[in-house]
């Protein structure tokens, strides 16, 4: 397994016309703004898209993006394990926008949802508060819920993975409709 190559935002911008760009965020995050020409294939759907991504590499380089770069790095590792070379955008779409580059927001797109990092922070915070409250009102053992979330956050930071994000990604508002993913894969094949 190789470490994915990273492109800076300015280099990626000058190469947009020659890159196949795959955005691995949830459909709602993608709708909130993505690189021009990016195709949305959520991280948990990468395995399904492997044949089409492999085919795209025959036409040129593949750039994988997400909000901050973490999910795109994970996607690049999955692709590398399957013999597909791809680069990631350093800092993700957050860095892209911060550097003054345009994000595409399609008309008629589904309502944008919160970014996955924000969803995780909200969920973790609610569960911690609930565990503390139940520990005060019902039984002190409920404080173990808060301890469990704290342990999960530490594990997440140490491994650069997030089980809570993986679970939240399965919620209906974070899932692509089957027809949308099929259309995206068809567009990837026809590029």
């Amino acid at each position: 397994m190789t470490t994915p190559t990273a492109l800076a935002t300015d280099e990626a911008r000058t190469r947009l016309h020659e890159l196949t760009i795959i955005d691995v965020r949830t459909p709602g995050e993608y709708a909130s703004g993505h690189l021009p020409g990016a195709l949305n294939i959520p991280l948990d759907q990468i395995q399904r898209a492997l044949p089409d991504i492999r085919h795209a590499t025959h036409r040129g380089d593949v750039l994988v993006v997400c909000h901050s770069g973490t999910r795109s790095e994970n996607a690049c590792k999955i692709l590398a394990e399957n013999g597909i070379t791809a680069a990631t955008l350093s800092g993700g779409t957050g860095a892209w926008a911060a550097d003054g580059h345009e994000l595409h927001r399609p008309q008629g797109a589904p309502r944008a949802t919160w970014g996955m990092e924000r969803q995780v922070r909200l969920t973790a915070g609610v569960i911690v508060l609930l565990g503390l409250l139940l520990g005060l009102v019902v039984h002190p053992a409920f404080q173990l819920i808060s301890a469990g979330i704290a342990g999960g956050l530490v594990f997440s930071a140490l491994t650069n993975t997030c089980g809570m994000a993986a679970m939240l990604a399965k919620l209906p508002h974070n899932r692509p409709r089957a027809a949308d993913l099929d259309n995206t894969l068809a567009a990837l094949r026809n590029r």
Side-chain angles (χ1 to χ4, degrees):
M1 181 169 57
T2 61
T3 303
T5 302
L7 293 180
T9 58
D10 288 334
E11 181 182 1
R13 187 179 55 77
T14 61
R15 297 186 58 204
L16 279 180
H17 65 283
E18 65 188 60
L19 295 169
T20 298
I21 305 165
I22 299 172
D23 191 318
V24 295
R25 296 176 298 158
T26 65
E29 290 175 295
Y30 172 81
S32 70
H34 56 270
L35 273 68
L39 298 171
N40 184 219
I41 303 173
L43 180 58
D44 64 348
Q45 298 294 315
I46 286 291
Q47 293 287 347
R48 177 177 171 196
L50 286 173
D52 297 312
I53 296 170
R54 182 174 288 111
H55 181 70
T57 62
H58 298 304
R59 296 185 306 272
D61 293 335
V62 172
L63 177 67
V64 183
V65 301
C66 66
H67 177 71
S68 65
T70 302
R71 284 178 278 179
S72 60
E73 286 178 11
N74 291 336
C76 284
K77 289 175 185 171
I78 292 169
L79 294 173
E81 290 168 356
N82 287 279
I84 301 170
T85 303
T88 184
L89 180 65
S90 295
T93 57
W96 179 271
D99 287 347
H101 304 306
E102 179 184 0
L103 288 174
H104 181 71
R105 291 177 179 87
Q107 296 287 341
R111 184 178 63 86
T113 60
W114 283 1
M116 187 55 64
E117 293 172 27
R118 187 175 182 190
Q119 291 180 50
V120 167
R121 289 192 308 265
L122 174 71
T123 304
V126 166
I127 294 171
V128 167
L129 288 175
L130 182 62
L132 291 174
L133 179 64
L134 290 172
L136 290 172
V137 175
V138 178
H139 190 278
F142 279 106
Q143 292 177 353
L144 291 174
I145 294 170
S146 300
I149 295 298
L153 291 171
V154 170
F155 179 79
S156 176
L158 292 174
T159 62
N160 201 26
T161 62
C162 187
M164 188 177 291
M167 290 187 331
L168 291 172
K170 296 186 184 311
L171 292 174
H173 69 276
N174 286 325
R175 306 282 305 152
R177 294 184 316 211
D180 292 341
L181 186 58
D182 290 340
N183 291 339
T184 298
L185 294 178
L188 182 58
R189 282 189 293 274
N190 295 327
R191 281 199 165 189

